[in-house]
PDB file of all heavy atoms in Angstrom:
ATOM      1  N   SER V  57     -40.563  16.164  53.115  1.00  0.00           N
ATOM      2  CA  SER V  57     -40.771  15.844  51.709  1.00  0.00           C
ATOM      3  C   SER V  57     -40.228  16.931  50.797  1.00  0.00           C
ATOM      4  O   SER V  57     -39.930  18.040  51.247  1.00  0.00           O
ATOM      5  CB  SER V  57     -42.273  15.638  51.417  1.00  0.00           C
ATOM      6  OG  SER V  57     -42.970  16.863  51.617  1.00  0.00           O
ATOM      7  N   VAL V  58     -40.164  16.566  49.540  1.00  0.00           N
ATOM      8  CA  VAL V  58     -39.757  17.497  48.492  1.00  0.00           C
ATOM      9  C   VAL V  58     -40.809  17.407  47.396  1.00  0.00           C
ATOM     10  O   VAL V  58     -41.183  16.317  46.959  1.00  0.00           O
ATOM     11  CB  VAL V  58     -38.373  17.140  47.916  1.00  0.00           C
ATOM     12  CG1 VAL V  58     -38.030  18.088  46.776  1.00  0.00           C
ATOM     13  CG2 VAL V  58     -37.310  17.205  48.985  1.00  0.00           C
ATOM     14  N   ALA V  59     -41.315  18.568  46.934  1.00  0.00           N
ATOM     15  CA  ALA V  59     -42.307  18.586  45.867  1.00  0.00           C
ATOM     16  C   ALA V  59     -41.928  19.661  44.859  1.00  0.00           C
ATOM     17  O   ALA V  59     -41.296  20.669  45.211  1.00  0.00           O
ATOM     18  CB  ALA V  59     -43.691  18.860  46.437  1.00  0.00           C
ATOM     19  N   PRO V  60     -42.284  19.451  43.584  1.00  0.00           N
ATOM     20  CA  PRO V  60     -41.959  20.467  42.581  1.00  0.00           C
ATOM     21  C   PRO V  60     -42.933  21.646  42.641  1.00  0.00           C
ATOM     22  O   PRO V  60     -44.110  21.485  42.965  1.00  0.00           O
ATOM     23  CB  PRO V  60     -42.111  19.704  41.263  1.00  0.00           C
ATOM     24  CG  PRO V  60     -43.160  18.678  41.547  1.00  0.00           C
ATOM     25  CD  PRO V  60     -42.941  18.265  42.995  1.00  0.00           C
ATOM     26  N   THR V  61     -42.413  22.804  42.351  1.00  0.00           N
ATOM     27  CA  THR V  61     -43.284  23.945  42.110  1.00  0.00           C
ATOM     28  C   THR V  61     -43.895  23.759  40.724  1.00  0.00           C
ATOM     29  O   THR V  61     -43.578  22.811  40.010  1.00  0.00           O
ATOM     30  CB  THR V  61     -42.489  25.251  42.156  1.00  0.00           C
ATOM     31  OG1 THR V  61     -41.526  25.229  41.097  1.00  0.00           O
ATOM     32  CG2 THR V  61     -41.780  25.424  43.487  1.00  0.00           C
ATOM     33  N   GLU V  62     -44.753  24.679  40.334  1.00  0.00           N
ATOM     34  CA  GLU V  62     -45.330  24.581  38.989  1.00  0.00           C
ATOM     35  C   GLU V  62     -44.238  24.639  37.932  1.00  0.00           C
ATOM     36  O   GLU V  62     -44.244  23.865  36.968  1.00  0.00           O
ATOM     37  CB  GLU V  62     -46.337  25.716  38.771  1.00  0.00           C
ATOM     38  CG  GLU V  62     -47.031  25.633  37.421  1.00  0.00           C
ATOM     39  CD  GLU V  62     -48.056  26.742  37.218  1.00  0.00           C
ATOM     40  OE1 GLU V  62     -48.325  27.495  38.190  1.00  0.00           O
ATOM     41  OE2 GLU V  62     -48.575  26.855  36.096  1.00  0.00           O
ATOM     42  N   ALA V  63     -43.257  25.534  38.133  1.00  0.00           N
ATOM     43  CA  ALA V  63     -42.148  25.626  37.180  1.00  0.00           C
ATOM     44  C   ALA V  63     -41.294  24.363  37.224  1.00  0.00           C
ATOM     45  O   ALA V  63     -40.838  23.857  36.188  1.00  0.00           O
ATOM     46  CB  ALA V  63     -41.294  26.849  37.498  1.00  0.00           C
ATOM     47  N   GLY V  64     -41.090  23.835  38.451  1.00  0.00           N
ATOM     48  CA  GLY V  64     -40.293  22.620  38.588  1.00  0.00           C
ATOM     49  C   GLY V  64     -40.945  21.427  37.936  1.00  0.00           C
ATOM     50  O   GLY V  64     -40.278  20.602  37.288  1.00  0.00           O
ATOM     51  N   GLU V  65     -42.293  21.314  38.076  1.00  0.00           N
ATOM     52  CA  GLU V  65     -43.009  20.202  37.440  1.00  0.00           C
ATOM     53  C   GLU V  65     -42.933  20.294  35.922  1.00  0.00           C
ATOM     54  O   GLU V  65     -42.759  19.287  35.224  1.00  0.00           O
ATOM     55  CB  GLU V  65     -44.468  20.214  37.909  1.00  0.00           C
ATOM     56  CG  GLU V  65     -45.324  19.097  37.309  1.00  0.00           C
ATOM     57  CD  GLU V  65     -44.877  17.709  37.750  1.00  0.00           C
ATOM     58  OE1 GLU V  65     -44.254  17.584  38.831  1.00  0.00           O
ATOM     59  OE2 GLU V  65     -45.143  16.757  37.005  1.00  0.00           O
ATOM     60  N   ARG V  66     -43.064  21.526  35.425  1.00  0.00           N
ATOM     61  CA  ARG V  66     -42.987  21.717  33.972  1.00  0.00           C
ATOM     62  C   ARG V  66     -41.599  21.335  33.452  1.00  0.00           C
ATOM     63  O   ARG V  66     -41.469  20.668  32.415  1.00  0.00           O
ATOM     64  CB  ARG V  66     -43.304  23.167  33.628  1.00  0.00           C
ATOM     65  CG  ARG V  66     -43.264  23.460  32.143  1.00  0.00           C
ATOM     66  CD  ARG V  66     -43.738  24.887  31.877  1.00  0.00           C
ATOM     67  NE  ARG V  66     -43.667  25.184  30.448  1.00  0.00           N
ATOM     68  CZ  ARG V  66     -44.035  26.353  29.918  1.00  0.00           C
ATOM     69  NH1 ARG V  66     -44.498  27.324  30.713  1.00  0.00           N
ATOM     70  NH2 ARG V  66     -43.960  26.552  28.624  1.00  0.00           N
ATOM     71  N   LEU V  67     -40.556  21.754  34.186  1.00  0.00           N
ATOM     72  CA  LEU V  67     -39.199  21.407  33.766  1.00  0.00           C
ATOM     73  C   LEU V  67     -38.983  19.900  33.836  1.00  0.00           C
ATOM     74  O   LEU V  67     -38.377  19.304  32.931  1.00  0.00           O
ATOM     75  CB  LEU V  67     -38.182  22.134  34.659  1.00  0.00           C
ATOM     76  CG  LEU V  67     -36.698  21.903  34.328  1.00  0.00           C
ATOM     77  CD1 LEU V  67     -36.371  22.379  32.912  1.00  0.00           C
ATOM     78  CD2 LEU V  67     -35.799  22.610  35.346  1.00  0.00           C
ATOM     79  N   TYR V  68     -39.493  19.281  34.888  1.00  0.00           N
ATOM     80  CA  TYR V  68     -39.332  17.825  35.036  1.00  0.00           C
ATOM     81  C   TYR V  68     -40.013  17.083  33.890  1.00  0.00           C
ATOM     82  O   TYR V  68     -39.430  16.160  33.305  1.00  0.00           O
ATOM     83  CB  TYR V  68     -39.908  17.378  36.378  1.00  0.00           C
ATOM     84  CG  TYR V  68     -39.799  15.884  36.600  1.00  0.00           C
ATOM     85  CD1 TYR V  68     -38.616  15.315  37.053  1.00  0.00           C
ATOM     86  CD2 TYR V  68     -40.889  15.052  36.343  1.00  0.00           C
ATOM     87  CE1 TYR V  68     -38.510  13.947  37.248  1.00  0.00           C
ATOM     88  CE2 TYR V  68     -40.798  13.689  36.532  1.00  0.00           C
ATOM     89  CZ  TYR V  68     -39.610  13.130  36.974  1.00  0.00           C
ATOM     90  OH  TYR V  68     -39.500  11.774  37.153  1.00  0.00           O
ATOM     91  N   GLN V  69     -41.236  17.444  33.576  1.00  0.00           N
ATOM     92  CA  GLN V  69     -41.970  16.755  32.509  1.00  0.00           C
ATOM     93  C   GLN V  69     -41.300  16.951  31.147  1.00  0.00           C
ATOM     94  O   GLN V  69     -41.406  16.090  30.266  1.00  0.00           O
ATOM     95  CB  GLN V  69     -43.422  17.275  32.459  1.00  0.00           C
ATOM     96  CG  GLN V  69     -44.255  16.919  33.677  1.00  0.00           C
ATOM     97  CD  GLN V  69     -44.406  15.420  33.851  1.00  0.00           C
ATOM     98  OE1 GLN V  69     -44.389  14.651  32.894  1.00  0.00           O
ATOM     99  NE2 GLN V  69     -44.547  14.984  35.110  1.00  0.00           N
ATOM    100  N   SER V  70     -40.625  18.080  30.978  1.00  0.00           N
ATOM    101  CA  SER V  70     -39.936  18.327  29.717  1.00  0.00           C
ATOM    102  C   SER V  70     -38.628  17.547  29.620  1.00  0.00           C
ATOM    103  O   SER V  70     -38.301  16.974  28.582  1.00  0.00           O
ATOM    104  CB  SER V  70     -39.664  19.829  29.570  1.00  0.00           C
ATOM    105  OG  SER V  70     -38.882  20.085  28.418  1.00  0.00           O
ATOM    106  N   LEU V  71     -37.877  17.514  30.736  1.00  0.00           N
ATOM    107  CA  LEU V  71     -36.538  16.920  30.696  1.00  0.00           C
ATOM    108  C   LEU V  71     -36.539  15.405  30.843  1.00  0.00           C
ATOM    109  O   LEU V  71     -35.739  14.713  30.199  1.00  0.00           O
ATOM    110  CB  LEU V  71     -35.673  17.527  31.810  1.00  0.00           C
ATOM    111  CG  LEU V  71     -35.274  18.987  31.669  1.00  0.00           C
ATOM    112  CD1 LEU V  71     -34.413  19.392  32.871  1.00  0.00           C
ATOM    113  CD2 LEU V  71     -34.485  19.201  30.381  1.00  0.00           C
TER     114      LEU V  71
END
Side-chain angles (χ1 to χ4, degrees):
S57 65
V58 177
T61 63
E62 183 179 353
E65 180 65 25
R66 181 174 179 179
L67 181 61
Y68 179 82
Q69 293 298 331
S70 174
L71 291 180

